Amino acid sequence: GVRVPDTMAGAQPRWSRTVVVALMFVTFCLGSWSMMLSQVTTGAAGHTEYHAGATIPSAPNITAFHEAQAARLRAAEDALRDSVTREAGLRGQVSAMLAQLEQAKAPHTLGSGGAVPPANSITVAPPPDGPRGHVTPPPAAPPHVVPPPAVALPVAPLPPSSVAQASTAMAMAPYAEDITAKFPELEACLKNEETGQTTCVSPDIQFRTGWMVHLVPQDNPGKGWRFHHLIAQGLAKHPYVNLTSDMGRADAVIWLPTSTGQPPNAVPPKAKFLILDEGDGAGYVPKAQSMNYIAYFKRSWAKKNNGKYLGAPKRLNRNYFPMIYSASDEYHKGLWESQAHRTRDVVCSLRCFERQPTRCRVLGWTQDAEKSLGLKNSLLGEVNHGGRKEINAGYFGAMRSAKIVVTCNPSHWEGDFRLFEAMVSGALVFVDEMWGPQPFPLKHKEHVIVYNTKDQGAFTEQLKYYIEHPDEARRIAHQGYLHVLKYHRAVTRMDFFLRSAHEQALIEADTPGATAVYADTGMSIKSNPDKAMMVDPKPDIWARRRLLAWLQGPEAVVEGGREIVRSA
């Protein structure tokens, strides 16, 4: 399975040595035969007839004959030595390549402390100047983020000229190195105000093939401002993306239906077409059914009513994947405020109005807990009248002054900006269950506290526990903050979109090992219940059983003697 470099194309094949040895043997036999014949020659006629009409050289020509034989023998020996030398050189080069591959399979030791790469890294390096190949998927993501390693193995991005010529089947470059060693501007750092310690985190950048990307321009700037902000930031910061305004040059075209009502007229055949649908509700854009997209990403993955899960909605049957929002780098200042500066026990900025009964209910629970638990200086309800088209300083400042932030998804669909805005406030975040799978998901009691919107008693008990155990609350909040900086920034969410689309392109090109290139793609997470954010992953009600029946595949779940079949 090792490709021989073109520079070895002139090397002698293995059978050349056998041919040379055979020629030497024949030459030796002819020489011996001639010497024997010379001993039996008689007469002075210049030559004597022997049997079967054969002739042998006369005595005066014997010396010249043997000299010619010796010369041919020396030439044969020289040819043999040349063949052996060239074969040894070929063996040496191939052995070096094999040794390099074997070395690449072994985990790299990073830094003086002997630390190994993060679990989401792949420790396979490509041969120098060789083609980029497939890699083995990384193991499960670690429960919390570790600081970036001290030593890096650089992998350069493809220049635009190479990107334009790259084939669909080309896999990504392995990402064994810390990406910030080559792109230090990507690093996100968080300073602990209490200890003075600063932790810097490398974003999870897996897609390293390099693409020219065209973002379809907005035609309705009044809608989708915040999501467009996240996508534009992710594209601008991704080190293996080159933005182009010329769709004809693009390797990938991205369309946001909310902020751009009309899809592009004609996507070039070579370009991968991605649709990022942040629309409320569980439906999809009808126009997409007739489009040749490579991946369709949908925010509202689950169908809900007043916080209750109603089952899987109708979905497109091709390359249809879940997505969630992300954290903008403008949401935080890189400072994790001390407890002394967190003067508010709880902040819950949910707005209560008729169309959002679940949020009204959770806000009411928090107000009840304020009274029953004696919460201090809490801020419950709307902070100010800031809109979605701004990064509101008052809103973010209120959360950074809190020990706990309570938020809740919309009543009838999933996914909002509030979750990741709260996650980078440094407070412990309480959030309701989310049925849509996430890449490297937030986990209950590791990064967030997940509650059930139908159980006020459990919600209040958890709020009471973490108010009374501030060290544990702060530990979870810190882990959640770092986890978001690693896996849920705008640039890492863009990486999720690109690697998911690239994986689909590899699959459609029948590339061997296509699904082993990346970790946590749209394809790999959409049917994995472990990627959903639930209080109890083992459901005890019908709706949850139906969800897991859909997530786990075509096998039916039996309840009360009746089969519940996986929905479309």
Side-chain angles (χ1 to χ4, degrees):
V2 178
R3 183 179 68 84
V4 178
D6 296 337
T7 55
M8 303 180 194
Q12 290 288 342
R14 183 180 293 274
W15 48 263
S16 62
R17 182 169 57 183
T18 304
V19 173
V20 173
V21 172
L23 290 174
M24 290 178 60
F25 179 78
V26 172
T27 303
F28 176 77
C29 291
L30 289 175
S32 301
W33 181 48
S34 300
M35 293 177 64
M36 180 184 67
L37 291 179
S38 68
Q39 294 175 1
V40 298
T41 55
T42 57
H47 70 272
T48 302
E49 296 293 331
Y50 198 62
H51 66 84
T55 61
I56 59 174
S58 58
N61 296 327
I62 288 296
T63 300
F65 177 79
H66 282 296
E67 289 177 352
Q69 289 287 81
R72 285 193 291 271
L73 180 60
R74 286 193 297 272
E77 290 174 346
D78 291 341
L80 177 60
R81 280 193 295 269
D82 182 63
S83 175
V84 171
T85 300
R86 284 199 279 181
E87 182 178 4
L90 176 61
R91 284 176 174 271
Q93 294 184 57
V94 172
S95 297
M97 293 175 65
L98 291 174
Q100 185 179 19
L101 291 175
E102 288 298 323
Q103 182 181 4
K105 292 178 182 178
H108 295 291
T109 299
L110 302 177
S112 59
V116 297
N120 73 305
S121 298
I122 295 178
T123 55
V124 179
D129 301 322
R132 306 178 192 271
H134 297 294
V135 295
T136 305
H144 61 275
V145 178
V146 297
V151 178
L153 306 174
V155 176
L158 293 175
S161 59
S162 299
V163 173
Q165 299 172 1
S167 66
T168 301
M170 179 182 290
M172 74 163 191
Y175 61 110
E177 88 284 7
D178 168 18
I179 194 70
T180 54
K182 192 166 186 65
F183 307 101
E185 67 277 8
L186 287 180
E187 197 169 56
C189 296
L190 183 63
K191 181 179 180 180
N192 187 331
E193 191 177 40
E194 289 183 348
T195 65
Q197 181 181 4
T198 297
T199 303
C200 294
V201 180
S202 307
D204 179 57
I205 302 296
Q206 299 182 35
F207 177 79
R208 303 195 182 180
T209 297
W211 277 352
M212 298 283 286
V213 178
H214 174 75
L215 177 61
V216 180
Q218 292 175 281
D219 61 15
N220 188 357
K223 291 186 177 181
W225 179 89
R226 184 67 61 86
F227 186 49
H228 191 276
H229 162 78
L230 294 171
I231 297 304
Q233 183 182 105
L235 287 170
K237 294 201 170 188
H238 199 292
Y240 291 87
V241 166
N242 289 287
L243 287 168
T244 177
S245 59
D246 183 359
M247 188 165 59
R249 298 178 57 210
D251 298 290
V253 175
I254 297 178
W255 176 44
L256 312 182
T258 302
S259 57
T260 308
Q262 293 300 317
N265 292 327
V267 177
K270 75 178 184 69
K272 292 82 176 170
F273 184 38
L274 290 72
I275 302 176
L276 311 184
D277 181 6
E278 65 154 339
D280 295 341
Y284 53 82
V285 178
K287 297 176 183 178
Q289 297 181 84
S290 60
M291 295 178 180
N292 187 27
Y293 61 85
I294 193 70
Y296 190 115
F297 298 92
K298 177 61 181 176
R299 170 175 65 107
S300 185
W301 188 252
K303 187 177 180 181
K304 296 166 62 177
N305 182 26
N306 193 9
K308 180 180 180 181
Y309 175 74
L310 298 181
K314 184 178 181 181
R315 296 170 177 159
L316 292 172
N317 59 7
R318 179 176 63 86
N319 301 359
Y320 193 78
F321 307 125
M323 78 170 186
I324 55 174
Y325 288 129
S326 57
S328 168
D329 289 349
E330 296 183 27
Y331 289 173
H332 69 107
K333 305 299 182 183
L335 178 66
W336 190 38
E337 290 81 0
S338 66
Q339 285 288 77
H341 287 162
R342 294 186 177 271
T343 57
R344 301 182 185 275
D345 281 346
V346 176
V347 167
C348 178
S349 63
L350 295 173
R351 296 169 175 170
C352 179
F353 52 96
E354 185 178 356
R355 289 186 300 146
Q356 296 293 345
T358 309
R359 285 180 168 173
C360 289
R361 184 164 63 250
V362 172
L363 177 60
W365 290 358
T366 311
Q367 291 168 339
D368 291 344
E370 180 187 28
K371 298 174 184 178
S372 63
L373 302 178
L375 302 180
K376 299 176 183 178
N377 195 27
S378 294
L379 179 58
L380 308 181
E382 186 176 27
V383 174
N384 56 37
H385 296 288
R388 294 181 179 179
K389 298 179 184 179
E390 61 177 325
I391 309 296
N392 187 274
Y395 167 66
F396 283 95
M399 290 191 292
R400 282 195 286 269
S401 70
K403 298 179 178 69
I404 294 176
V405 170
V406 175
T407 186
C408 181
N409 279 276
S411 302
H412 310 302
W413 60 86
E414 277 189 355
D416 64 356
F417 298 111
R418 290 175 177 271
L419 173 59
F420 290 107
E421 291 168 349
M423 289 301 300
V424 293
S425 71
L428 176 63
V429 176
F430 274 50
V431 63
D432 58 318
E433 292 179 303
M434 294 184 69
W435 303 95
Q438 308 171 11
F440 301 105
L442 300 170
K443 295 183 179 180
H444 180 47
K445 294 185 178 180
E446 288 186 23
H447 311 120
V448 294
I449 301 302
V450 182
Y451 63 87
N452 186 335
T453 58
K454 297 295 189 293
D455 192 341
Q456 181 178 3
F459 171 84
T460 304
E461 283 299 316
Q462 289 188 107
L463 203 58
K464 179 177 184 292
Y465 177 86
Y466 287 105
I467 288 293
E468 295 175 349
H469 295 81
D471 291 342
E472 187 174 352
R474 193 160 170 81
R475 176 184 60 80
I476 296 173
H478 190 244
Q479 290 180 173
Y481 202 146
L482 294 177
H483 187 79
V484 168
L485 294 183
K486 179 75 174 178
Y487 297 111
H488 297 285
R489 290 167 60 191
V491 66
T492 44
R493 187 68 72 246
M494 179 51 61
D495 192 87
F496 166 73
F497 297 140
L498 295 177
R499 68 179 183 255
S500 298
H502 189 214
E503 180 182 71
Q504 286 305 120
L506 295 175
I507 292 172
E508 293 182 8
D510 296 323
T511 306
T515 57
V517 175
Y518 300 113
D520 277 39
T521 61
M523 174 65 77
S524 68
I525 71 171
K526 74 170 188 176
S527 299
N528 187 349
D530 292 335
K531 300 297 182 179
M533 195 172 70
M534 296 182 283
V535 175
D536 186 353
K538 297 179 180 179
D540 55 1
I541 60 174
W542 179 87
R544 291 184 179 180
R545 288 178 180 170
R546 181 170 182 180
L547 169 69
L548 290 190
W550 187 91
L551 288 172
Q552 292 172 345
E555 297 82 5
V557 174
V558 178
E559 179 183 12
R562 183 170 65 90
E563 279 194 341
I564 304 171
V565 184
R566 179 182 187 271
S567 65

